[in-house]
Amino acid sequence: MSLKHATTLIKSLCARGVVRHARAVFDEMPDRDVVAWTAMLSGYASSGCHREALDVFRRMLAAGVVPNEFTLSSVLTACRGGGGAALIHAVAVMRGVDHMPYVVNALIDAYASHGDGLVDARRLFEALGGRRTAASWTSMIAGYVRWGQENTGLQLFQNIIQDDVELSPFTCSIAIHACASVGNLCFGQQIHVLSIRKALGVNLAVANSLVDMYCICESILEARRLFDEMPERNLVTWNTIIAGSSRCDPLMAMQLLVDMNLEPNCLTLTSITSACAGLAALRCGQQVHGAVLRRNYGDDLKISNALVDMYSKCGSISNAKKVFNMMNCKDIVSWTSMIGGYGMNGCANEAIELFNSMVHAGVHPDHVVFMGLISACSHAGLVDEGWNLLRDAERSL
DNA sequence: TACCCCGAGA
């Protein structure tokens, strides 16, 4: 097989999601040029195997192959969330490719994916001036949104609208997500209108983020209307509307599960467990628990937390305790659910005892735990214990 | 051969 044919095969295997097979072809190649190395590297990077991608990059350098602008933008994808962007930036400068559009965009993205790289990302973004593309805008806005600066991100998005820059579905869904995070329903609706005008409303990612935004902003009816109008839906769509409705309309969440024409996953079942909790539907909850175990989701932290909460709210404290004790990894939510469960089932002493175990286990209590405990004491008439906890809370929070 | 997107819990 020629070098060119092998590289084409690597590309197509990666695109089909069988990176392992691509690697087998790659390993069999007698000699490899920069294109072959880059195809393998980008295959790993785009399927989220960042460690493997960086490893291929190191081996490529060790083999004396000189990286080009394609290689560097691919390897920058593998630097997302970790460090290393500055190092690749230096290599890009040395190779004289640091001003090439794809490389700059990949640099902005890699810097912005790291909390303290936002300033570096913004510097590159500003220097781009009129050469900014949709990817530059998206990476910059996404960086702000990811690090809790949603409003700065939304201000940048405002510039896109004013300057009439071509709007991409990527940018659009990030901005909608930012609106959801800060609860800015009004701006979210404006982006909704804009997305329809720019013919982006049919894009699945845009529509999914709109459904999510309406759910989070407590406009469940609007979310449902949009969901019903969508010509195409995927698992994310279903999980978004089910999660949204499980909070304010659990019966609708159950009905949606029945209508769902896709196989539910762990996230779906977590939301359905909460819906059962909201309805205090023990029988249903037990069936969901069975489905969770059959699908081997029993070790998932979030679903276990939801099960503890569901059994507590259905009054089955013994089952809640069973799930809680089976968990081999617990977070503050697990403890809160179980402590709150004891409280709402009139077992205030057990709640206090478990709270002590929690502190003993080194978990720092937050205001939700104290609320649950103090409410447990008030229901059980444990006035002194309640006052003591209130003092503990004041000291601890 | 390359950069940017959407989902859950107390």
Side-chain angles (χ1 to χ4, degrees):
Chain A
M1 190 161 32
S2 74
L3 188 74
K4 214 170 168 182
H5 278 122
T7 305
T8 309
L9 188 55
I10 289 172
K11 260 173 51 191
S12 84
L13 289 170
C14 289
R16 278 161 45 198
V18 278
V19 193
R20 268 178 46 243
H21 296 176
R23 181 58 187 257
V25 174
F26 180 77
D27 285 339
E28 287 299 313
M29 291 172 76
D31 47 30
R32 313 174 182 105
D33 60 0
V34 63
V35 181
W37 281 99
T38 304
M40 192 63 247
L41 199 163
S42 95
Y44 276 130
S46 52
S47 29
C49 310
H50 291 181
R51 209 164 39 90
E52 289 82 352
L54 294 172
D55 192 53
V56 167
F57 183 61
R58 270 189 288 268
R59 284 187 47 207
M60 173 184 163
L61 295 180
V65 178
V66 180
N68 63 14
E69 68 271 30
F70 290 84
T71 324
L72 295 179
S73 28
S74 295
V75 80
L76 281 165
T77 306
C79 291
R80 295 193 91 212
L87 194 67
I88 304 298
H89 194 172
V91 178
V93 172
M94 276 190 309
R95 302 286 321 134
V97 296
D98 59 310
H99 288 293
M100 302 193 89
Y102 271 102
V103 177
V104 186
N105 286 340
L107 276 169
I108 292 173
D109 189 61
Y111 276 126
S113 69
H114 212 256
D116 36 67
L118 276 176
V119 175
D120 294 307
R122 185 61 184 255
R123 200 174 297 133
L124 292 175
F125 179 82
E126 291 301 331
L128 265 181
R131 296 187 301 130
R132 289 177 200 133
T133 65
S136 338
W137 287 96
T138 312
S139 297
M140 199 61 244
I141 294 172
Y144 284 121
V145 175
R146 194 178 304 119
W147 299 104
Q149 300 182 41
E150 288 89 353
N151 285 320
T152 312
L154 287 173
Q155 274 164 19
L156 270 186
F157 186 78
Q158 196 86 54
N159 293 344
I160 300 187
I161 305 175
Q162 277 156 10
D163 298 354
D164 210 26
V165 177
E166 196 191 346
L167 194 59
S168 94
F170 296 101
T171 329
C172 219
S173 59
I174 296 262
I176 295 162
H177 182 67
C179 293
S181 297
V182 294
N184 192 340
L185 178 63
C186 183
F187 198 18
Q189 284 168 321
Q190 285 177 42
I191 302 177
H192 188 178
V193 173
L194 187 75
S195 70
I196 294 169
R197 212 167 55 220
K198 303 270 183 185
L200 294 177
V202 288
N203 179 280
L204 201 49
V206 172
N208 285 349
S209 4
L210 281 168
V211 171
D212 185 48
M213 191 267 300
Y214 284 120
C215 285
I216 289 176
C217 296
E218 291 173 348
S219 306
I220 190 70
L221 290 177
E222 196 53 47
R224 182 61 201 255
R225 182 160 38 213
L226 193 60
F227 173 85
D228 288 335
E229 286 170 0
M230 283 172 72
E232 185 197 352
R233 304 180 186 118
N234 63 5
L235 190 56
V236 176
T237 325
W238 285 96
N239 282 351
T240 305
I241 190 79
I242 289 175
S245 52
S246 73
R247 288 187 289 265
C248 55
D249 189 349
L251 212 52
M252 179 165 122
M254 304 300 272
Q255 187 56 51
L256 282 160
L257 179 75
V258 174
D259 298 339
M260 186 172 169
N261 50 8
L262 296 168
E263 187 64 24
N265 70 358
C266 195
L267 297 183
T268 328
L269 295 180
T270 306
S271 303
I272 291 298
T273 305
S274 308
C276 293
L279 294 166
L282 181 59
R283 275 292 180 79
C284 264
Q286 283 172 319
Q287 284 181 18
V288 178
H289 193 177
V292 166
L293 296 178
R294 277 195 301 279
R295 288 173 168 80
N296 284 321
Y297 294 148
D299 288 331
D300 184 86
L301 179 63
K302 309 241 161 138
I303 206 159
S304 301
N305 289 346
L307 284 167
V308 170
D309 184 53
M310 181 275 292
Y311 279 124
S312 301
K313 287 186 175 146
C314 291
S316 178
I317 197 72
S318 60
N319 276 316
K321 199 172 152 188
K322 215 179 282 175
V323 175
F324 180 80
N325 288 335
M326 290 278 284
M327 293 172 71
N328 40 29
C329 142
K330 300 180 179 81
D331 65 1
I332 181 87
V333 179
S334 327
W335 293 94
T336 312
S337 307
M338 195 62 235
I339 291 170
Y342 278 132
M344 72 181 80
N345 283 278
C347 317
N349 288 315
E350 284 86 346
I352 295 173
E353 206 173 297
L354 192 64
F355 171 73
N356 291 329
S357 312
M358 180 187 109
V359 174
H360 194 73
V363 180
H364 192 76
D366 66 3
H367 71 284
V368 188
V369 178
F370 280 114
M371 294 279 283
L373 270 175
I374 291 165
S375 134
C377 291
S378 78
H379 287 305
L382 303 175
V383 180
D384 291 342
E385 286 83 351
W387 278 112
N388 287 338
L389 285 163
L390 207 55
R391 270 190 290 274
D392 284 350
E394 272 172 0
R395 266 201 303 273
S396 161
L397 294 175

